Amino acid sequence: MQLLPNSKILLLKQLLLLAVILTLAACSNTKYLQKDQTLYTSAKVDVKGEILNSEKQDLRSSLSSKSLMTQQPNKKLLNSRIKVWLYNQKYNEKKSNWFWNLMLAKRNLEEPVVYDSAKTKESVARMTSYLHNQGFFYVTVNYEEKTARRKTSVTYQVNTGRNFVIDKITYTVPDSAILQLVKANEKLSLVQKGVVFKSATLGSERERLTRLIKDAGYYKFNRDAIEFSVDTLNKALFRNTLNPFEGFVNIFNENKGRDKLTMDVEIRIKNPEDSTDSWQKYHIGKIYAYPDFSLNANPNDSSLKQDERKFITIRSHQEILKPKILSRSILLRPGEAYSIQRYNNAVNKLYDIGVWQFVTLQYKEPKDSVNTLDAYVFLTPRRRQELGLTFELSNSSDYTLGSGVTLNYRHINLNRTATQLGMALSTGIELVRQESGWELQSKQFGGEVSLTWPRFALPFNIKQSNRSNVKTRLTLGANYLSRVEKFDVTSINASYGYDWNETLYKRWIIRPITLNYVGVSLDPTFRDSVVNTNPYLKRSFEPALIGGESVSFIFSNQDLLHQNHYSYFRVNVEESGLWLSGINSLMNGISGKKTNLETLTNVNISNFVKIEADYRHFWKLGLHSGLATRAYAGVGIPYSYSQVLPYIRQFTSGGPNSIRAWRLRTLGPGSYKDSSATAQAFPDQTGDMKLEGNIEYRFDLLRMFGGSVNLKGATFLDMGNIWMIRKDSTRPGSEFRFNQLYHDLAMGTGAGLRLDFSFFLIRLDWGIPLKVPYFTGNKNGWYVSEWDLKDSRWRRENIIWNIAIGYPF
């Protein structure tokens, strides 16, 4: 007879112990209950009615919530209430030793829920009220108790019937001005004909109307002045409990051809109760600004200096911002009607300037004027200058120790014009530990200077909305990187452009001038032995001169009005070479074709147009899960004398933010696969075109460390690839062909964990290929048949781990 190893015997003992504990937990949870008590074990909601199955499922979920079902049964683990059993072991069996102290931690215990019929009746009342608010006026909610072996289960029986839809909407408004205002905005009403009636809809409509009316200048308008009257039609549709036959007759006679139960809604807006007059409009009177107001200061301080301007009166001890700029920054003007939106715009604009830490806007009625509001703007300034120093230590497979230092300086109010000056200097080194000691592998230093104006810096005026939040940015930077005995790279970049919000959801970023110069110097030995032997690596070290302009449009509606699902869309168009070629031609003409921009820099001008589009949509699925999707497309087209895109503008695929079943720069282009030794050391696949799609299901797992860290999970499906526009004889299969699109699409799946610290997120993703474009074992590259998860070597070569900060999209 063959004996089992000790490890297997120990495992069997542990499994046997677990089975015994679960059996005991299933049998003895009612042991310590009093004579007239039963254990509440389960609750079920059975929904019937003439509504869709999806609506029934939503109602079951809502009615099972703790707010409606006031008594919740104990939770089960492996079909047993193990936590209740452990609770009894601690408080009734009085178990206490090192093992039980470990098992009986507070988080592992759950007090048995004793069934309370009063709470069941309260749940019925709450469910009925909730369903009335959802438009089911004649709903019935009953319950059935089942008790056996001192255990009680409850089934809630809900019959919704058919809910109402709104048929006719009338307005009763004695104030003709407010009636005209409401009717002019009727298209935006939440109460519309054909919409299913819900009480919550009326509440939201009351808030909308209140905001609309107050926004039109009615400062003292009260939301309680808005009332709703609901008149349900065709009540004979409902079951007559005294004479069911009569109910059927009424249904047939009075509702022939009627598919829905309808109701009329009357919206009444009353005049003020304390007056026979109508609601009064208020206008802005005087505007007082306190630009250096401390939190505990007195606005009536006699030592404040007063400066009367065209639109505002400035009261201050010192001039924080030039009066002209301060006046332009306060989006209020005397004589304008009071408006909630103007209030919000004014406060947001002052915050956006970046000069003040706190902004408070108050309205007060002056004693000497009727229907007028004086505005008081209290501004608490921030520190003008900030200085920061950051250190960084890192380790990688390429080096033993890396260190870096960055010095940051920022002035938020240069020359009292709200112009921001930013400066950054950085340096770093990488060291490698050898047998002979530490050796320098690389060194880097660079700097950047930026200026930001809170307006369009143009020689002419341009009209903009109050929500624009315009920024003009000028950035200049330079960086030098030296890899010992390999290469030196010098880069210079500059950009000038504008950034503003067209509306609450629409944003524009325009850079009429962008310039990027990259100069490369290679060590002769490294160039001949490594770079020149690999055409792709050689291309990565080519100098580049990119100068042009770019336009980006961004749409995002993630806000309180779109909590269940929202979209993000970004399109970017970049052109390079147009104005650089103009300068080149001008220099040729002036010098008689002796010198130009290309001969001075010894770099050819890159001419290309690059277009990118990125669309994302997010759905919230319940309280603890969601679905995120992304579709991306990009193409770069060289023109004029340029034959290819510059390396730094080409597309790549794979990696933690792309198709996660491939490492960065290892996928594509097309069905091409570089298996050379150089490609293994320097993965560098790029293309002129990219298509990509991603679907990710995200869900919460558990909270740790007192709720400060949320552990989340995800499963995902990624697909896409990169391609060349023109045929490349050195990379067969790399060009884009529409009839080969399905074959060339790579697909990968996997799962991931996220540690969410609220202010940042650490992500770990595990990806495995489903469809491989260069796999020849299947007509279209499906790779699932090749999976061999038991083989450690296969796992190392095919399963990719990605660690990153933040979500992939």
Side-chain angles (χ1 to χ4, degrees), residues 52-108:
L52 299 175
N53 288 331
S54 59
E55 292 178 305
K56 291 180 181 178
Q57 182 61 38
D58 291 340
L59 281 179
R60 288 191 196 99
S61 178
S62 299
L63 296 174
S64 300
S65 66
K66 292 182 179 180
S67 61
L68 300 181
M69 192 181 291
T70 57
Q71 191 173 36
Q72 298 283 327
N74 292 113
K75 297 178 181 178
K76 282 188 176 182
L77 177 64
L78 298 178
N79 202 35
S80 176
R81 297 172 188 86
I82 182 68
K83 289 189 175 184
V84 175
W85 182 78
L86 291 173
Y87 177 91
N88 287 327
Q89 299 308 303
K90 180 172 183 176
Y91 294 106
N92 293 305
E93 295 287 349
K94 307 297 183 181
K95 297 289 180 63
S96 178
N97 56 42
W98 70 268
F99 172 77
W100 286 110
N101 290 339
L102 181 66
M103 292 290 295
L104 301 179
K106 189 174 181 179
R107 63 177 179 274
N108 296 333

Side-chain angles (χ1 to χ4, degrees), residues 534-537 539 644-645 647 650-652 665 667-674 684-689 722-737:
N534 187 292
Y536 317 118
L537 191 60
R539 195 167 69 246
V644 295
L645 286 176
Y647 173 78
Q650 290 189 341
F651 298 96
T652 63
R665 297 177 179 270
L667 176 60
S671 59
Y672 175 73
K673 169 68 174 177
D674 189 350
D684 192 42
Q685 300 304 322
T686 60
D688 301 326
M689 177 180 174
I722 57 173
W723 291 267
M724 300 299 295
I725 292 179
R726 296 185 177 92
K727 189 172 183 179
D728 186 347
S729 59
T730 63
R731 294 188 287 180
S734 63
E735 72 276 11
F736 178 79
R737 292 169 294 176

Side-chain angles (χ1 to χ4, degrees), residues 315-351:
R315 294 175 176 174
S316 63
H317 290 104
Q318 58 178 325
E319 189 177 86
I320 299 296
L321 204 62
K322 290 184 177 181
K324 180 179 179 181
I325 298 176
L326 178 59
S327 178
R328 187 171 59 206
S329 302
I330 297 176
L331 303 179
L332 297 174
R333 292 293 179 263
E336 288 181 337
Y338 163 81
S339 166
I340 295 178
Q341 190 60 58
R342 287 196 181 99
Y343 173 93
N344 292 333
N345 290 342
V347 172
N348 292 336
K349 177 66 174 180
L350 290 166
Y351 269 122

Side-chain angles (χ1 to χ4, degrees), residues 659-661 695-697 699 713-718 747-754 764-770 787 799-802:
I659 303 177
R660 285 160 278 186
I695 302 174
E696 183 169 286
Y697 175 65
F699 50 90
T715 59
F716 55 83
L717 176 67
D718 303 326
M747 295 180 64
T749 188
L753 293 174
R754 291 93 168 88
L764 173 65
D765 285 329
W766 169 89
I768 186 171
L770 287 172
W787 284 12
I799 297 179
I800 307 300
W801 296 92
N802 297 281

Side-chain angles (χ1 to χ4, degrees), residues 294-520:
S294 61
L295 293 179
N296 297 320
N298 180 6
N300 299 317
D301 187 351
S302 59
S303 64
L304 290 169
K305 300 175 185 177
Q306 185 159 304
D307 185 3
E308 300 280 352
R309 292 282 164 172
K310 182 178 180 181
F311 299 117
I312 65 173
T313 299
I314 302 173
R315 294 175 176 174
S316 63
H317 290 104
Q318 58 178 325
E319 189 177 86
I320 299 296
L321 204 62
K322 290 184 177 181
K324 180 179 179 181
I325 298 176
L326 178 59
S327 178
R328 187 171 59 206
S329 302
I330 297 176
L331 303 179
L332 297 174
R333 292 293 179 263
E336 288 181 337
Y338 163 81
S339 166
I340 295 178
Q341 190 60 58
R342 287 196 181 99
Y343 173 93
N344 292 333
N345 290 342
V347 172
N348 292 336
K349 177 66 174 180
L350 290 166
Y351 269 122
D352 290 338
I353 290 175
V355 174
W356 290 285
Q357 185 175 8
F358 300 108
V359 177
T360 303
L361 173 57
Q362 296 179 358
Y363 291 110
K364 296 181 181 179
E365 291 187 70
K367 296 180 180 179
D368 57 349
S369 184
V370 180
N371 299 337
T372 301
L373 297 171
D374 288 346
Y376 292 81
V377 184
F378 301 107
L379 306 167
T380 303
R382 296 170 55 188
R383 294 177 59 181
R384 289 188 181 184
Q385 301 182 68
E386 299 172 352
L387 186 65
L389 187 66
T390 59
F391 297 89
E392 180 183 350
L393 290 175
S394 59
N395 174 265
S396 172
S397 58
D398 297 333
Y399 57 87
T400 308
L401 178 65
S403 65
V405 180
T406 302
L407 177 66
N408 293 288
Y409 169 77
R410 188 182 180 200
H411 196 301
I412 65 170
N413 189 15
L414 199 64
N415 196 29
R416 293 174 288 111
T417 61
T419 300
Q420 295 186 9
L421 169 67
M423 301 177 65
L425 295 173
S426 62
T427 183
I429 59 173
E430 292 176 1
L431 301 174
V432 179
R433 181 67 181 236
Q434 305 286 4
E435 293 182 0
S436 57
W438 292 93
E439 292 186 4
L440 179 67
Q441 177 172 277
S442 69
K443 55 186 177 181
Q444 174 270 334
F445 57 87
E448 184 178 90
V449 179
S450 65
L451 281 171
T452 304
W453 296 271
R455 60 188 179 278
F456 280 117
L458 292 168
F460 52 87
N461 292 328
I462 184 170
K463 187 178 180 181
Q464 63 189 74
S465 71
N466 293 335
R467 296 184 181 180
S468 295
N469 186 21
V470 176
K471 303 288 185 184
T472 300
R473 289 189 174 91
L474 171 64
T475 303
L476 301 172
N479 191 75
Y480 172 77
L481 172 64
S482 176
R483 195 79 177 259
V484 176
E485 297 181 351
K486 290 184 178 179
F487 57 81
D488 295 339
V489 176
T490 303
S491 63
I492 301 172
N493 60 79
S495 68
Y496 180 82
Y498 311 99
D499 183 341
W500 76 94
N501 297 325
E502 178 187 346
T503 65
L504 186 62
Y505 300 143
K506 299 177 183 178
R507 180 184 174 196
W508 290 90
I509 303 173
I510 295 180
R511 300 284 183 266
I513 299 175
T514 62
L515 182 64
N516 191 357
Y517 166 78
V518 180
V520 181

Side-chain angles (χ1 to χ4, degrees), residues 75 113 155 210 242 247 251 258 263 317 474 500 513 549 747 807:
K75 297 178 181 178
V113 177
T155 300
T210 301
L242 298 178
I251 290 174
R258 192 180 298 275
M263 65 164 50
H317 290 104
L474 171 64
W500 76 94
I513 299 175
E549 57 285 328
M747 295 180 64
Y807 285 109

